[in-house]
Amino acid sequence: MGKQTGAHIVWDWNGTLFHDNDAIIGATNAAFAELGLAPITMEQYRTLYCVPVPKFYERLLGRLPTDAEWEVMDETFHRYYAEHRVMCGLTAGATELLAGWRSAGRSQSILSMYVHDELVPLVRGFGIEAHFIRVDGRTGPSGGSKAEHMVRHLASLAGVDPARTVVIGDAADDAVAAQHVGARAVLYTGGSHGRASLEAVGVPVVDTLVEAVAEAERLAA
């Protein structure tokens, strides 16, 4: 795509650009049912959720799941999610924000922990792929942190300066990944984490993607 010299946004997908909260909580409860756990509400999920994901299950089980339990829960989660994501759409205003950032001559990309081979056609299906210089999903096992994936993602973006890069996501792990590569972060309260847990991270926290982009512009100036 040529050399990028200005501000760059690395967007998270699930819970940020893609408003999939209903599918996420449904898939989580389907996975819990496999171990006989009671279902939880979205508010409980947003309070307890953390990365790596097995630690999240530990908060509810009182122990880490065994390897066999993790495999069953992980498979159940992804099967349920794949069936129900079709009812989810982009976060309100996302399309206009992406177009505006691009038309201003700035670059943006997606880095998600969602499976790469499923992420790319999903992004394409919403007609927004052209706004990004790169779209990366997860290619290895699920459940880990985004930090090492962020290293590879930024390394693949020719001319993008980490110091002028802002990660926009809905989870504390997005801020950890940004810090890992020398980028900044803005966290959005509309996804997997509640405001209290996001504010504990020590980066700007916003309630809308409009605010997130405005903050990214300020941080990357």
Side-chain angles (χ1 to χ4, degrees):
M1 295 287 293
K3 187 174 178 62
Q4 308 294 327
T5 56
H8 180 83
I9 291 175
V10 178
W11 290 95
D12 174 55
W13 179 248
N14 303 96
T16 303
L17 286 176
F18 190 43
H19 187 66
D20 58 352
N21 289 356
D22 289 345
I24 289 285
I25 192 64
T28 297
N29 283 329
F32 285 174
E34 292 291 332
L35 267 64
L37 289 169
I40 63 172
T41 65
M42 189 69 213
E43 216 41 55
Q44 288 172 309
Y45 177 92
R46 284 159 54 83
T47 299
L48 295 169
Y49 181 74
C50 63
V51 173
V53 179
K55 295 289 289 182
F56 168 51
Y57 292 144
E58 181 183 26
R59 292 181 173 184
L60 294 142
L61 281 169
R63 60 174 175 81
L64 282 170
T66 66
D67 289 347
E69 287 172 336
W70 166 251
E71 285 184 20
V72 169
M73 295 175 82
D74 192 47
E75 191 278 329
T76 301
F77 178 94
H78 286 98
R79 184 179 68 248
Y80 182 102
Y81 180 83
E83 292 170 0
H84 290 79
R85 74 176 189 205
V86 295
M87 294 176 278
C88 302
L90 295 177
T91 299
T95 302
E96 294 78 9
L97 287 168
L98 295 172
W101 187 265
R102 181 188 180 201
S103 66
R106 307 183 184 105
S107 62
Q108 55 199 329
S109 58
I110 292 176
L111 175 62
S112 172
M113 297 298 279
Y114 190 49
V115 181
H116 181 79
D117 290 343
E118 297 182 32
L119 172 68
V120 172
L122 190 54
V123 172
R124 188 172 295 145
F126 282 113
I128 58 174
E129 186 182 24
H131 295 314
F132 305 105
I133 60 173
R134 189 175 181 92
V135 175
D136 280 337
R138 175 176 53 79
T139 55
S142 63
S145 171
K146 187 180 272 188
E148 290 306 319
H149 296 271
M150 187 67 73
V151 172
R152 291 190 291 273
H153 181 72
L154 282 192
S156 70
L157 303 178
V160 169
D161 180 3
R164 297 201 67 198
T165 296
V166 179
V167 176
I168 298 179
D170 68 319
D173 192 50
D174 291 300
V176 172
Q179 183 181 32
H180 191 66
V181 295
R184 311 291 286 276
V186 178
L187 298 180
Y188 162 64
T189 62
S192 63
H193 282 37
R195 173 174 275 278
S197 61
L198 294 180
E199 287 180 339
V201 180
V203 302
V205 175
V206 298
D207 296 319
T208 68
L209 293 188
V210 171
E211 294 172 279
V213 170
E215 191 66 17
E217 188 169 9
R218 184 186 70 81
L219 290 173

